[in-house]
Amino acid sequence: MLDFFRNHKRLMMFMLILVIVPGLGFVGIQGFRGFFDDSGNVAQVNGYKITRAEYDNSMRQQLDRARQMLGAQFDLKTFNTPEHRQQVLDAMVMQRVLADETLRLHLTASDAAVRRALLSDPFIASLKNPDGSIDLERYKQVLAAQGMTPEQYDASVRYSLAQQQLPSSIQSSAFTSKTLAQHLIELAEQQREVQSLMFRASDYLAKVQPTEAQLQAYYDAHRADFATPATATIQYLVLSPEVLAASVQPTEADLKKYYDDNLARFRTPGEVRASHILIAAAKDASAADKEKARQQAEKVLAELKAHPGQFAQIAEKQSQDPGSAAKGGDLGYFGRGMIAGGKAFDDAAFSLKKDEISGIVQSDFGYHIIKVTEVKPPVTQPFAEVKGAIAHDLKTQHAAKRFTDSADSFTSMVYEQAKSLQPAADKFKLPLQTAVVTPKPNAALAATSPLNNPQFLEAIFSDDAVKNRNNIQAIDLGNNTLISARVSDFKAAAIPSFAALKDSVRQKVITQQAAELAAKDGAARLAVLQKSQATTGFAPALKVSRNNPQGLPETSMSAIYKASAEHLPVYTGVDLGAQGYVIYRVNAVLPGAAMTPERLTAAQQQVAQVHAQSELEAYLDALRQRAKVKHFGSLEAAAANAGQ
């Protein structure tokens, strides 16, 4: 079908005109737009409508995070279920309910809180200049690329902080008593002395002689287990800034121009090391108190002029700055804006030469006398030293621009010239790579490999790619990466004949029947032991606990702790499947290790966290019950877009 469209574009355009134009006359422009409108609502919360587009975006974000976390183990079918889709919608509804409650209570975040959040953001930190200031132009450019202004970004951070206040206050107020924490620890560390009697399936292998009919029956019942997956040999192209960067080679002139235009980036501002003596006078102090402090500072300055070599000793006695007085007034190295004394302090300090003493400098803290002990002049890194870093930056910038400029053209070319990827490879200077893939991700490849992308694999094994051998459409893998491929050879999934698999089938049947025999004998022996209380044949005793199972499987631990401890010894059995069957003799119940105050405090905190989460969920449920929530019938329709 797609091939027909490609080869008859003019005919298809004519047919579309014949269909669309008369349709406008019957339903009108508004009705026609509504017919194709894809932005239906999936829910409404207190009058606010959650659109299908918002839902689709949230679903895609979750799928992208799952792909990154699970890698080759990611399976779209696990997430594209009615239950998971409902969970996504419920989370969006709950987020809106919490937002409404935040607005109702008039919660907000202070400017200081927003500033702290911004400065702790790795994104903001990456934009810092060598002198610690933020590169505002780069900041605006990055935000503009995301369709935001600095003011909008600040507002979003403030809104996010405000929404966090309710959950944070509930979680921080949770409390658990030491008695409860101690009881839970005792249960977790309670030991049980057990002995095991194993009926290994391997011991029964020689006793099993399956018939031909049994082998055939097993093969017929498990045919799908023996299937070999379909494989496709493919050629593929990856378009990304990283790939494009390989073909970008800035000239020497480009590098030098960038260096000259951005010289401030390569300059380390000057620093001084200084000491000071502070005679404190608060900003809001009376005029009399300020005058008294100034007179005291003038006396100290006179003493320094008389004994300039004793600055440190005088500072220890006279300075009222508790942070530096004990160190002879030493403030260490600092640049402009790093000392709380303000501009007047900076101007005085950076105007002094080494070992020179200032006059009296007034700040909001009082009166300072400053001595500069070391001077580090500004240093500009030479071009030769930063040339490599500049080349990397320019290649990255040019490659990112080339990707932006090329993405649409690449997408169109691999679709329009569907019988070969070579034209696209030549135009965009991309390496044409080959691989063999199956419908499921390859665990041997990295989780981030484009060949493991489920949407990509689904397109590879579509009829258009396999039967018509057309290029697949360019798949957006996220992170500015597009991939297209073409199947050059295909082998369908197949189920080998019974004759070819007979030996493999025999081994599986023998293993299964041996496990069944072991389980049968084990269950029979358990019935006898529960009556006779025998002890022979058991392995040496082992002490296990919930926190330290000593290597026992979870099924065994569950059976051991479910066994009644009122009348010991007690026997219990566990079917271990292909491994066989095991009987456990529980001899004694023993207390765990002695409780220490540190362990009790840690346990109390852990239990409090669980309790806090429970309290938060109860609060959110109450908010949701109070909210006016309405669901629409377009959720299932929205599922069609999942994973796209």
Side-chain angles (χ1 to χ4, degrees):
M1 180 64 71
L2 291 175
D3 192 54
F4 178 82
F5 287 169
R6 292 189 183 97
N7 298 329
H8 301 84
K9 292 178 183 176
R10 291 183 179 275
L11 174 61
M12 295 310 299
M13 288 295 294
F14 180 72
M15 291 176 64
L16 285 172
I17 291 172
L18 290 178
V19 172
I20 292 173
V21 174
L24 293 177
F26 286 103
V27 300
I29 298 294
Q30 185 63 33
F32 191 81
R33 186 179 67 179
F35 182 78
F36 286 97
D37 190 8
D38 198 37
S39 59
N41 303 314
V42 293
Q44 181 175 290
V45 182
N46 295 330
Y48 176 88
K49 293 180 179 178
I50 299 175
T51 66
R52 176 173 170 178
E54 289 176 311
Y55 170 83
D56 288 343
N57 185 53
S58 180
M59 188 71 176
R60 289 191 191 98
Q61 289 177 353
Q62 287 215 7
L63 292 176
D64 288 343
R65 285 194 293 268
R67 286 191 183 101
Q68 293 176 359
M69 292 175 60
L70 300 177
Q73 284 71 44
F74 175 82
D75 185 356
L76 179 60
K77 295 179 181 178
T78 304
F79 295 89
N80 194 18
T81 63
E83 294 77 16
H84 182 73
R85 291 194 292 272
Q86 188 61 50
Q87 289 173 5
V88 172
L89 181 58
D90 288 344
M92 295 181 71
V93 169
M94 196 66 257
Q95 186 177 23
R96 188 64 212 179
V97 169
L98 186 58
D100 287 348
E101 186 67 6
T102 301
L103 292 173
R104 189 184 72 82
L105 296 175
H106 305 291
L107 299 179
T108 186
S110 66
D111 291 342
V114 173
R115 190 178 302 109
R116 286 194 299 270
L118 289 172
L119 293 176
S120 64
D121 189 335
F123 158 62
I124 303 295
S126 68
L127 302 177
K128 283 188 176 181
N129 292 317
D131 62 358
S133 63
I134 301 297
D135 188 334
L136 294 179
E137 287 304 315
R138 289 178 63 201
Y139 177 56
K140 292 177 182 178
Q141 290 172 4
V142 173
L143 289 180
Q146 302 176 28
M148 298 180 70
T149 65
E151 292 75 17
Q152 289 172 329
Y153 186 65
D154 289 356
S156 69
V157 172
R158 189 184 304 276
Y159 183 70
S160 177
L161 291 174
Q163 275 196 284
Q164 294 172 17
Q165 291 181 29
L166 281 173
S168 297
S169 62
I170 294 173
Q171 290 179 314
S172 62
S173 63
F175 174 78
T176 298
S177 68
K178 289 186 177 181
T179 302
L180 175 59
Q182 182 171 353
H183 180 63
L184 292 174
I185 290 180
E186 289 172 350
L187 287 176
E189 297 191 352
Q190 181 194 82
Q191 293 182 322
R192 294 204 170 191
E193 183 185 278
V194 298
Q195 294 176 273
S196 62
L197 178 58
M198 187 71 188
F199 293 79
R200 293 181 176 81
S202 57
D203 295 338
Y204 291 82
L205 294 176
K207 301 178 182 179
V208 177
Q209 296 294 330
T211 65
E212 192 79 6
Q214 289 174 323
L215 298 181
Q216 183 67 54
Y218 185 91
Y219 172 80
D220 292 341
H222 300 83
R223 289 171 64 89
D225 296 343
F226 297 105
T228 57
T231 60
T233 302
I234 63 170
Q235 294 178 317
Y236 68 98
L237 296 175
V238 175
L239 182 75
S240 69
E242 290 75 19
V243 175
L244 293 172
S247 61
V248 176
Q249 294 298 332
T251 65
E252 187 81 6
D254 292 334
L255 300 179
K256 188 65 169 64
K257 184 178 185 305
Y258 183 90
Y259 176 78
D260 293 338
D261 291 346
N262 298 273
L263 203 58
R265 287 188 58 189
F266 309 107
R267 180 180 293 120
T268 302
E271 289 186 330
V272 297
R273 182 173 185 176
S275 301
H276 83 137
I277 297 172
L278 171 67
I279 305 301
K283 184 178 181 181
D284 56 353
S286 66
D289 288 341
K290 288 183 178 180
E291 180 58 29
K292 182 178 179 181
R294 170 177 279 280
Q295 292 176 4
Q296 175 65 24
E298 288 176 347
K299 290 181 181 179
V300 173
L301 181 58
E303 184 179 359
L304 285 170
K305 288 180 177 179
H307 307 284
Q310 297 182 15
F311 191 98
Q313 293 87 336
I314 295 173
E316 288 183 18
K317 295 178 181 177
Q318 301 291 345
S319 181
Q320 296 171 7
D321 176 11
S324 66
K327 297 182 290 186
D330 184 27
L331 297 171
Y333 283 100
F334 58 88
R336 284 186 176 273
M338 297 175 61
I339 297 296
K343 184 176 184 301
F345 189 99
D346 281 348
D347 290 345
F350 282 89
S351 66
L352 297 173
K353 298 177 182 178
K354 182 180 178 181
D355 295 328
E356 189 176 358
I357 298 175
S358 74
I360 296 173
V361 180
Q362 185 176 2
S363 77
D364 290 344
F365 300 97
Y367 301 96
H368 306 261
I369 303 170
I370 306 168
K371 178 181 180 181
V372 170
T373 54
E374 294 288 344
V375 177
K376 287 184 179 180
V379 176
T380 301
Q381 293 175 279
F383 173 68
E385 187 176 309
V386 297
K387 181 178 175 181
I390 293 175
H392 178 269
D393 287 349
L394 284 181
K395 288 178 70 172
T396 301
Q397 291 175 16
H398 290 169
K401 185 177 185 304
R402 280 187 59 190
F403 175 83
T404 302
D405 295 341
S406 303
D408 289 343
S409 179
F410 175 82
T411 300
S412 298
M413 179 171 280
V414 297
Y415 175 76
E416 292 170 355
Q417 301 189 32
K419 294 301 181 182
S420 175
L421 290 172
Q422 194 63 52
D426 294 339
K427 178 176 179 179
F428 301 103
K429 296 182 174 60
L430 302 175
L432 189 57
Q433 305 177 72
T434 60
V436 177
V437 296
T438 64
K440 291 187 177 181
N442 184 353
L445 297 177
T448 56
S449 170
L451 299 181
N452 274 347
N453 181 273
Q455 189 180 356
F456 170 73
L457 294 176
E458 184 178 351
I460 285 292
F461 289 93
S462 66
D463 286 346
D464 189 53
V466 171
K467 295 180 180 179
N468 301 329
R469 300 295 169 91
N470 288 323
N471 300 338
I472 67 169
Q473 65 177 347
I475 304 294
D476 187 349
L477 303 178
N479 297 320
N480 291 333
T481 303
L482 298 174
I483 186 172
S484 181
R486 180 174 178 273
V487 176
S488 57
D489 187 40
F490 173 76
K491 293 181 180 178
I495 299 177
S497 65
F498 172 70
L501 293 172
K502 190 172 182 179
D503 290 341
S504 177
V505 171
R506 183 186 302 278
Q507 188 58 47
K508 290 182 178 296
V509 171
I510 289 175
T511 300
Q512 177 180 299
Q513 292 185 358
E516 291 171 353
L517 289 176
K520 181 179 178 181
D521 285 357
R525 183 66 178 275
L526 176 62
V528 172
L529 289 171
Q530 288 173 336
K531 295 178 181 178
S532 65
Q533 300 288 305
T535 61
T536 58
F538 282 89
L542 189 68
K543 293 179 181 178
V544 298
S545 69
R546 291 182 176 90
N547 287 343
N548 185 14
Q550 299 280 18
L552 297 187
E554 184 178 343
T555 52
S556 294
M557 292 299 296
S558 177
I560 289 170
Y561 275 88
K562 283 182 179 179
S564 174
E566 293 183 4
H567 304 288
L568 298 176
V570 65
Y571 299 84
T572 185
V574 180
D575 190 340
L576 299 179
Q579 296 180 14
Y581 191 92
V582 62
I583 299 173
Y584 291 104
R585 184 177 193 266
V586 182
N587 296 322
V589 176
L590 307 171
M595 185 71 62
T596 64
E598 294 77 15
R599 290 178 63 242
L600 181 57
T601 300
Q604 190 176 7
Q605 292 173 349
Q606 291 175 358
V607 177
Q609 290 175 358
V610 175
H611 178 60
Q613 186 61 33
S614 176
E615 289 289 322
L616 177 59
E617 290 175 0
Y619 174 74
L620 295 178
D621 285 343
L623 286 183
R624 194 181 189 287
Q625 292 295 326
R626 194 173 68 197
K628 296 178 181 179
V629 180
K630 180 181 179 181
H631 291 273
F632 299 107
S634 55
L635 182 58
E636 287 304 315
N641 289 337
Q644 296 300 310

